[in-house]
Amino acid sequence: MVERQEQAAPEAVLTRIGQVVMLHHGGDREEARSRFLDLWAEIGEEGDPLHRCTLAHYLADTQDDPADELAWDLRALSAAEELADGRAGGDPASVQGFFPSLHLNLAADYVKLGRAEAARSHLRRARAAAGLLADDGYGEGVRSAISRLALRLEEDE
């Protein structure tokens, strides 16, 4: 019984994150940010890295200040790196598909902050990791966004 509760709890957190994502996509950015921050307070800086990665990734999208968005995206990347290098246990290969999007988001953050070289660095990392993406709608969407940001950076040169 206890084992089932422990297994359900992580899924419940991801479900709650998903519910707030729907709220955000429905247009209630302020309420979504508030609920995400409440979840972050529950999970904590030392919580499950998958939860921290997912939550920070979505929390970044609710920020008004590009510097705050960058800070949350950096938290998401750090948590994904914990998973990928095995520090958090689990299957490191299970998060490899996160990296193209995480680096793309960081590149976009750095563009907003006028830090083109940092943006290019993360864009290169996004491109390098994009080969891990499936040939599906998500993979195509991330690869297209990488290409669009690359064009934008070239135009700014």
Side-chain angles (χ1 to χ4, degrees):
M1 178 75 166
V2 171
E3 183 177 320
R4 271 179 47 184
Q5 287 175 338
E6 289 174 3
Q7 289 175 350
E11 292 174 15
V13 171
L14 293 175
T15 298
R16 289 170 62 202
I17 292 170
Q19 290 169 338
V20 180
V21 168
M22 289 190 302
L23 179 68
H24 179 232
H25 289 169
D28 199 342
R29 187 176 189 182
E30 292 296 321
E31 182 64 21
R33 179 174 38 230
S34 176
R35 290 188 190 188
F36 279 142
L37 288 170
D38 289 345
L39 279 168
W40 186 264
E42 268 183 54
I43 293 168
E45 292 286 335
E46 301 302 319
D48 182 306
L50 177 61
H51 297 160
R52 287 186 288 121
C53 176
T54 305
L55 185 53
H57 172 73
Y58 288 115
L59 237 166
D61 293 339
T62 67
Q63 301 306 303
D64 296 324
D65 182 333
D68 293 337
E69 186 175 0
L70 173 64
W72 285 109
D73 280 330
L74 287 169
R75 285 182 183 103
L77 178 63
S78 177
E81 287 172 340
E82 279 182 51
L83 290 164
D85 69 13
R87 283 182 279 163
D91 178 15
S94 67
V95 296
Q96 293 305 313
F98 292 4
F99 288 102
S101 177
L102 293 172
H103 286 293
L104 173 63
N105 288 348
L106 286 163
D109 295 343
Y110 284 120
V111 167
K112 290 176 193 172
L113 292 167
R115 297 176 56 189
E117 197 49 48
R120 285 184 188 90
S121 174
H122 280 282
L123 192 59
R124 282 190 295 273
R125 293 174 76 181
R127 263 198 189 122
L132 300 169
L133 295 171
D135 287 330
D136 59 10
Y138 174 77
E140 287 303 314
V142 172
R143 282 189 284 275
S144 293
I146 290 169
S147 295
R148 285 191 305 273
L149 188 57
L151 288 172
R152 183 173 165 197
L153 279 168
E154 288 173 14
E155 291 171 2
D156 291 345
E157 288 182 346

